Amino acid sequence: MRLLLFLTVCQYAINSVHTYSISNPNVVLLMADDLGIGDLGCYGNRTLRTPYIDRLAKEGVTLTQHIAASPLCTPSRAAFLTGRYPIRSGMAAFSRVGVFLFSASSGGLPSEEITFSKLLKQRGYATALIALYASDMFRGKSKHGLYGDAVEEMDWSVGQILNVLEKYNLRNKTLIYFSSDQGAHIEEISSSGEVHGGYNGIYKGGKSTNWEGGIRVPGLLRWPGMIPAGTYMDEPTSNMDIFPTIVKLAGAQLPNDRIIDGHDLMPLLQGKVTRSKHEFLFHYCNAYLNAVRWHPGNSESVWKAFFFTPNFNPEDSNGCYDSHVCFCHGGFITRHDPPLLFDLSRDPEEKVPLTPKTERRFYEILRVIQLAVANHTRSLQAVPDQLSWDNLLWKPWLQPCCSSLFQSCYCDFESEHSLLEVHSG
């Protein structure tokens, strides 16, 4: 079971804990690992109990077309932290392995990359990161085995955070964001046959694929008094949007020496605009451009073109069960010429590819998408491959000091004044 809770807490602390303004809110970012969009009550689940996460939805905005920048953990989180497609920072692999397997690897975000945490610290925020696990208290309590137990414990943990915000009168001074780094890992099955992966609702595929089940993730935002409650938004948004959103709210400057692919969500969340700035979203499978999403400004359609798709195994299944994840190149994929084309506004399950006979604008749509790909490709610069085999290999001298197995290692401890300790009961 690998459902984790990724939590970044940012607290504005330039003067005192009582100094707040609309432009400098507290920010709580909650990111689950491999959580399916269909695992939560607010997205339609009726057998898992997620009352606290559902409460975020009731008291805030539910994004129904929120997209992870990658269907794999490492590149998705890199995009989340930087507001940039992972290909721009070298956090997208050309080899079969697209994630870091060890903490003692030499690859990672290049030092020149800027995360939102770094910018918020410059504005006086304190930050913290808090990797949670299923405890004995929740084991065997859900209807969905160990995975369900972990989901319900995660929901309880969210409730603990909400209770603390209420206790210290911080509810109206705090922006909360909840999401997942990609869709549920549907091939995650134990040796005894118990399903340890989640549920992606009506959507096809899951983790490691750019079918909607792999990239359409929960997106919940709550900020009482600033964001309307009980609102649903079906515009395409991305986890890369969190970077510019909170950087602007903190009063910091967005970097002007690089492309930021995310867009500030606040105008959309507050109803000041009705259309997402993401006319195009580019879906990468590792370092390979896999698909493109186009939401024309004059249409309700959301076109999605696939240049290749993974070969599911068994062939009539919904995933790559023989290899545990789907891969992105060679004999693991089928290339399409012309690309497979779907209109997600009519076919969100991606069941029936369009053809020139069923869509009169078929070739025109593909022409626009290909032009967008060409423009996007020109914006990319060559960067070191952070997920090369050399960078992926385990290096004992880089093993974190928290390991009890290794006594000789290096740690770069930050100043105690720059850390915010968060304890939950």
Side-chain angles (χ1 to χ4, degrees):
M1 179 60 225
R2 294 187 296 171
L3 183 69
L4 308 176
L5 184 65
F6 175 90
L7 167 65
T8 302
V9 179
C10 304
Q11 182 181 30
Y12 189 61
I14 286 182
N15 296 317
S16 73
V17 294
H18 301 293
T19 302
Y20 300 99
S21 70
I22 289 176
S23 60
N24 294 110
N26 300 307
V27 181
V28 177
L29 307 176
L30 301 155
M31 180 168 283
D33 181 52
D34 296 5
L35 181 73
I37 193 170
D39 285 325
L40 304 176
C42 53
Y43 284 95
N45 194 295
R46 295 294 174 262
T47 55
L48 278 174
R49 296 167 294 188
T50 56
Y52 294 107
I53 296 173
D54 297 345
R55 176 178 157 193
L56 289 178
K58 292 177 183 177
E59 298 176 353
V61 172
T62 300
L63 303 175
T64 60
Q65 202 176 156
H66 195 49
I67 307 300
S70 170
L72 289 171
C73 307
T74 295
S76 177
R77 297 180 188 198
F80 170 64
L81 288 167
T82 64
R84 289 155 53 84
Y85 286 109
I87 192 73
R88 298 194 190 279
S89 58
M91 298 291 279
F94 289 93
S95 64
R96 188 182 302 182
V97 180
V99 298
F100 289 117
L101 301 175
F102 310 105
S103 55
S105 298
S106 54
L109 276 177
S111 59
E112 61 269 20
E113 284 295 326
I114 299 175
T115 65
F116 55 67
S117 297
K118 183 182 295 185
L119 292 176
L120 265 61
K121 283 184 179 181
Q122 294 173 1
R123 291 289 299 155
Y125 279 76
T127 66
L129 173 65
I130 301 97
L132 302 180
Y133 298 90
S135 67
D136 291 339
M137 184 171 67
F138 286 86
R139 283 182 179 267
K141 299 297 177 63
S142 79
K143 295 181 180 179
H144 293 282
L146 184 59
Y147 179 88
D149 299 343
V151 171
E152 293 190 358
E153 178 161 13
M154 177 186 65
D155 181 76
W156 172 86
S157 299
V158 172
Q160 297 300 294
I161 294 168
L162 297 182
N163 291 341
V164 168
L165 294 176
E166 296 282 356
K167 179 179 179 181
Y168 291 101
N169 195 31
L170 299 176
R171 182 175 181 273
N172 293 350
K173 304 165 185 174
T174 304
L175 171 66
I176 299 180
Y177 167 75
F178 180 91
S179 189
S180 176
D181 55 359
Q182 72 270 315
H185 191 183
I186 57 177
E187 298 95 341
E188 193 75 45
I189 300 175
S190 72
S191 57
S192 63
E194 182 180 67
V195 175
H196 282 184
Y199 176 54
N200 293 314
I202 66 171
Y203 303 111
K204 187 174 182 177
K207 177 178 178 174
S208 82
T209 81
N210 280 302
W211 294 111
E212 289 297 282
I215 55 175
R216 194 182 289 222
V217 293
L220 304 173
L221 294 105
R222 188 194 81 170
W223 188 2
M226 296 299 295
I227 294 176
T231 304
Y232 289 83
M233 292 186 178
D234 194 37
E235 288 291 297
T237 57
S238 169
N239 65 347
M240 296 184 292
D241 296 335
I242 299 305
F243 180 98
T245 301
I246 64 175
V247 167
K248 287 187 177 182
L249 286 173
Q253 294 294 317
L254 288 173
N256 57 15
D257 62 344
R258 65 200 64 205
I259 294 174
I260 301 297
D261 298 296
H263 297 292
D264 182 9
L265 284 174
M266 287 305 293
L268 187 65
L269 297 175
Q270 294 182 320
K272 295 178 180 178
V273 299
T274 59
R275 303 288 295 205
S276 166
K277 287 187 177 180
H278 288 293
E279 183 179 1
F280 297 96
L281 280 170
F282 302 94
H283 304 308
Y284 280 86
C285 183
N286 285 353
Y288 305 96
L289 184 58
N290 185 186
V292 177
R293 195 186 214 87
W294 178 33
H295 185 37
N298 61 351
S299 171
E300 294 303 312
S301 291
V302 180
W303 308 106
K304 186 178 178 185
F306 276 96
F307 306 118
F308 64 86
T309 51
N311 297 330
F312 286 162
N313 50 69
E315 193 172 324
D316 60 349
S317 70
N318 192 38
C320 301
Y321 291 88
D322 292 353
S323 53
H324 193 60
V325 293
C326 295
F327 298 119
C328 305
H329 62 285
F332 299 105
I333 64 170
T334 296
R335 297 193 177 277
H336 304 286
D337 186 15
L340 293 186
L341 181 66
F342 299 90
D343 181 358
L344 298 178
S345 68
R346 292 180 288 171
D347 182 17
E349 299 171 73
E350 299 170 294
K351 284 186 173 180
V352 183
L354 298 170
T355 68
K357 291 184 178 180
T358 59
E359 174 51 58
R360 62 180 180 81
R361 298 178 56 213
F362 183 85
Y363 289 110
E364 179 187 349
I365 293 164
L366 291 180
R367 181 184 60 80
V368 174
I369 288 175
Q370 292 285 11
L371 180 61
V373 169
N375 291 334
H376 169 70
T377 302
R378 281 195 293 270
S379 77
L380 302 177
Q381 298 179 349
V383 292
D385 181 5
Q386 298 297 321
L387 288 161
S388 66
W389 283 111
D390 179 61
N391 282 330
L392 286 171
L393 289 174
W394 178 73
K395 299 176 177 64
W397 58 91
L398 295 178
Q399 184 68 32
C401 294
C402 57
S403 171
S404 60
L405 296 176
F406 301 94
Q407 301 301 321
S408 176
C409 54
Y410 171 76
C411 284
D412 182 16
F413 292 106
E414 294 187 281
S415 166
E416 291 183 2
H417 299 291
S418 67
L419 295 177
L420 174 66
E421 293 185 359
V422 178
H423 302 278
S424 63

